[in-house]
Amino acid sequence: MVFAVSRRNEMAFALTLSLLLVTISLSSSTLQQDFMQCLVDNSDISFPATASFYSPDQNATLFKEELESSAQNLRYLTPSNPKPVFIFEPTYETHVQAAVVCAKKLQLHMRLRSGGHDYEGLSFVAENETPFVIVDLSKLRQIDVDVDSNSAWAHAGATVGEVYYRIQEKSQTHGFPAGLCSSLGIGGHLVGGAYGSMMRKFGLGADNVLDARIIDANGKILDRAAMGEDVFWAIRGGGGGSFGVILAWKIKLVPVPATVTVFTVTKTLEQDGTKVLYKWEQVADKLDEDLFIRVIIQTASKTTKPGDRTISTSYQGQFLGDSKRLMQVMQKIFPELGLTKKDCIEMSWIKSVMYIAGFPSSAAPEALLDGKSLFKSYFKAKSDFVEEPIPVEGLEGLWKKLLQEDSPLTIWNPYGGMMSRIPESEIPFPHRKGNSFMIQWLSSWSDGKAGDERHMKWMREMYSYMEKYVSKNPRRAYVNYRDLDLGVNEEESDAREWGSKYFKGNFERLVKIKGEFDPENFFRHEQSIPTKIG
């Protein structure tokens, strides 16, 4: 499982490194020069240095491309946003160990990136920390599947799509209950909880983690036994960038049937959309555990006349079984949707994953190996949890709000099933029994910084409008949908203001573990777990 490092080309590498250091020293960065020399002193290095470091002084074009390669939120890629001194892409685990040791020695703040999907840019922007570097784990993407033990090891840089693909390579009847977006980096995804279309059957991705390998603030590699059960608990849902560098996860594979059925049924307001959605609110968490139906809600054109818009609600379903049984389930508890046999498409589990991720039906499973997200936009996102159905008048008020915005999107994901049976304190992710569904709110725009104020204002007003319809005391949020509006780590601030919203009563335990495991707070960002509160 652990990468072996060859020394055969050590002399050739030393020469290449020397030439590169001369180039760097002539153009600028003593920090990068010192960092690279420190890496040589602290690791068994065997990699092309020129392909592992990216800095604006060395090659501004390549640096920009690498910085933006996996980032989705363009709000954090403007010229005014702070930029790292350089980006380092380790090839082996030993390089990551050395990177931690060297960043600590040189007093460089470190940001960690596996998939780059974080909504507030925390893996590639540090607003109040200078100088900082990015350690990008995208080259650590090895996946080893062992069907006999129903498990797999997946390195942090692998995407969710790659993990799914490698599982189906070995077995058509095994899967993993992680995210709906195939380009998510598995390292950062599982550390926040990781919900997906099979969570009602098997729980979150983090509920199905068996072991992990992390690097602590002293550069030591620890597995579950070495890190201890407290830290192992904390990294499965406590959010990224707080406890160490996740190198790899050992995940538990789950059984999936040979036949999976998917469907999408869309209703507009003119097609009783509000009435159908109100019924979905009442039954979504009570459906058969094999059935997941999420609702994608956005504005749509009503006619060809400009500005004549309505609300579209698309019910996207995945059923772990054939269409015959699905129809029986739907007719019994949710006939209002009007699902027909014609709407149902039977396929393999891996193809159902691709369907939900938005791949065309003609795409082969190999498309999951591409790993790059095509979504890049200026956006702001938030999240909510709902315990009681939002009444019709509340929905109608929401429609008015959505129609005021250019490109709003909200996705409602059902809970219930296994999610209600796992205790709140099992892992840091606390949103379990009592939640009917989760909401993701998103507004995107294309007019850059000029549009920020208007669209952010709309998002905050809409969020305020929804306050009376969602969870309370505290109003809760999903840590993988980071929202800096909830609060940030500042000297005079109380981290409980945002920490309780993500973690409820688990926050105090996370803080205690952080204080013991990383007392110097080496791993930190605007919403990392603090070493103490109060």
Side-chain angles (χ1 to χ4, degrees):
M1 213 288 286
V2 182
F3 289 117
V5 180
S6 170
R7 289 181 174 272
R8 282 182 292 178
N9 296 320
E10 188 171 0
M11 291 182 64
F13 169 72
L15 179 60
T16 303
L17 180 59
S18 299
L19 291 171
L20 184 62
L21 291 177
V22 169
T23 304
I24 292 170
S25 62
L26 288 173
S27 58
S28 79
S29 181
T30 25
L31 270 178
Q32 184 176 341
Q33 184 177 352
D34 292 346
F35 189 86
M36 292 179 72
Q37 187 58 58
C38 182
L39 285 179
V40 174
D41 297 338
N42 287 278
S43 67
D44 297 323
I45 299 179
S46 178
F47 65 88
T50 52
S52 298
F53 281 89
Y54 301 86
S55 71
D57 299 313
Q58 189 179 332
N59 189 318
T61 301
L62 282 178
F63 172 78
K64 185 174 184 293
E65 288 177 0
E66 196 59 29
L67 179 65
E68 299 177 359
S69 61
S70 60
Q72 289 189 309
N73 197 341
L74 300 180
R75 285 199 297 123
Y76 294 100
L77 290 176
T78 64
S80 62
N81 290 120
K83 302 294 186 292
V85 180
F86 56 85
I87 301 168
F88 173 50
E89 291 188 356
T91 313
Y92 302 110
E93 290 182 348
T94 183
H95 304 147
V96 188
Q97 288 181 276
V100 170
V101 170
C102 296
K104 197 171 184 179
K105 177 181 178 182
L106 298 172
Q107 296 185 323
L108 279 168
H109 179 62
M110 179 186 290
R111 290 291 162 113
L112 304 167
R113 182 168 76 175
S114 56
H117 275 240
D118 54 296
Y119 281 4
E120 297 281 24
L122 300 183
S123 66
F124 56 92
V125 174
E127 294 288 349
N128 301 313
E129 303 272 4
T130 55
F132 77 97
V133 299
I134 294 173
V135 176
D136 185 306
L137 303 173
S138 59
K139 289 180 180 175
L140 300 177
R141 55 199 319 131
Q142 181 177 327
I143 301 166
D144 297 309
V145 178
D146 183 358
V147 173
D148 292 337
S149 66
N150 293 316
S151 67
W153 275 101
H155 276 72
T159 65
V160 169
E162 287 178 293
V163 173
Y164 293 158
Y165 179 84
R166 297 305 176 195
I167 293 171
Q168 70 87 43
E169 253 190 336
K170 296 288 183 73
S171 170
Q172 296 291 310
T173 55
H174 285 79
F176 184 65
L180 308 172
C181 176
S182 61
S183 58
L184 290 164
I186 197 73
H189 182 47
L190 292 180
V191 82
Y195 78 86
S197 58
M198 295 199 295
M199 67 178 177
R200 302 187 66 251
K201 180 79 171 181
F202 300 109
L204 304 171
D207 293 322
N208 291 276
V209 168
L210 302 170
D211 202 343
R213 289 168 57 80
I214 70 168
I215 296 177
D216 69 8
N218 296 314
K220 294 180 180 178
I221 295 180
L222 309 172
D223 61 7
R224 179 175 181 173
M227 74 180 82
E229 287 302 301
D230 276 348
V231 177
F232 184 64
W233 175 85
I235 63 174
R236 291 175 296 144
S242 288
F243 296 95
V245 185
I246 303 293
L247 288 175
W249 297 104
K250 185 180 183 181
I251 58 175
K252 179 174 70 177
L253 307 185
V254 300
V256 296
T259 300
V260 175
T261 306
V262 297
F263 64 85
T264 301
V265 174
T266 299
K267 302 284 186 182
T268 64
L269 299 187
E270 293 72 30
Q271 297 168 315
D272 282 335
T274 304
K275 179 181 177 182
V276 175
L277 183 61
Y278 184 61
K279 177 65 176 181
W280 175 89
E281 291 189 84
Q282 298 171 71
V283 303
D285 64 324
K286 302 172 184 67
L287 293 170
D288 188 301
E289 292 178 15
D290 288 331
L291 179 56
F292 173 91
I293 305 176
R294 68 172 179 170
V295 191
I296 303 168
I297 304 170
Q298 55 197 325
T299 57
S301 297
K302 187 158 51 171
T303 65
T304 55
K305 184 180 176 182
D308 191 14
R309 300 193 301 167
T310 186
I311 300 295
S312 163
T313 58
S314 292
Y315 296 80
Q316 189 178 64
Q318 180 196 61
F319 181 67
L320 301 175
D322 60 31
S323 58
K324 181 180 179 181
R325 190 163 76 87
L326 168 61
M327 290 300 299
Q328 292 171 350
V329 169
M330 290 295 288
Q331 286 166 7
K332 181 179 179 181
I333 196 168
F334 193 19
E336 291 83 356
L337 183 61
L339 183 71
T340 66
K341 188 73 183 291
K342 188 178 178 181
D343 297 319
C344 302
I345 310 169
E346 294 183 344
M347 55 183 62
S348 64
W349 173 76
I350 195 70
K351 291 292 283 185
S352 76
V353 164
M354 298 180 71
Y355 176 90
I356 290 177
F359 286 89
S361 58
S362 58
E366 285 70 22
L368 290 168
L369 299 176
D370 183 38
K372 292 291 184 183
S373 171
L374 299 178
F375 176 78
K376 284 186 183 291
S377 183
Y378 295 85
F379 70 87
K380 175 62 182 176
K382 290 180 175 290
S383 59
D384 267 313
F385 289 87
V386 181
E387 298 172 340
E388 299 291 337
I390 300 167
V392 169
E393 59 267 27
L395 296 175
E396 290 173 342
L398 175 59
W399 306 153
K400 291 176 183 177
K401 291 287 184 185
L402 295 177
L403 289 168
Q404 292 170 1
E405 180 63 338
D406 297 345
S407 299
L409 172 69
T410 177
I411 302 176
W412 298 12
N413 293 283
Y415 268 52
M418 181 61 79
M419 291 298 290
S420 294
R421 295 196 295 275
I422 298 173
E424 282 189 4
S425 59
E426 185 73 14
I427 63 173
F429 181 100
H431 315 292
R432 305 290 188 170
K433 187 177 181 180
N435 292 293
S436 296
F437 57 97
M438 183 185 79
I439 298 178
Q440 176 181 189
W441 307 105
L442 190 141
S443 177
S444 60
W445 56 95
S446 58
D447 51 347
K449 277 288 188 185
D452 281 8
E453 185 177 346
R454 177 168 68 91
H455 297 291
M456 299 277 277
K457 181 175 182 288
W458 174 86
M459 174 61 82
R460 288 163 182 156
E461 288 177 351
M462 185 280 304
Y463 187 71
S464 177
Y465 165 78
M466 289 300 297
E467 184 173 10
K468 60 185 173 182
Y469 301 117
V470 298
S471 61
K472 299 172 179 65
N473 301 317
R475 182 176 184 174
R476 299 188 286 280
Y478 176 40
V479 70
N480 269 358
Y481 293 155
R482 289 281 184 191
D483 180 7
L484 296 186
D485 285 353
L486 302 180
V488 296
N489 286 319
E490 292 175 330
E491 254 185 60
E492 301 303 319
S493 67
D494 186 344
R496 279 173 291 212
E497 290 181 9
W498 57 265
S500 63
K501 294 171 183 176
Y502 289 137
F503 307 112
K504 296 181 68 176
N506 294 331
F507 185 59
E508 282 74 12
R509 183 180 175 190
L510 285 168
V511 172
K512 183 176 183 293
I513 295 168
K514 168 72 173 183
E516 294 170 352
F517 190 68
D518 181 20
E520 295 178 10
N521 201 25
F522 177 76
F523 295 105
R524 65 186 184 275
H525 55 71
E526 287 80 352
Q527 278 188 352
S528 57
I529 304 298
T531 56
K532 61 181 179 180
I533 49 177

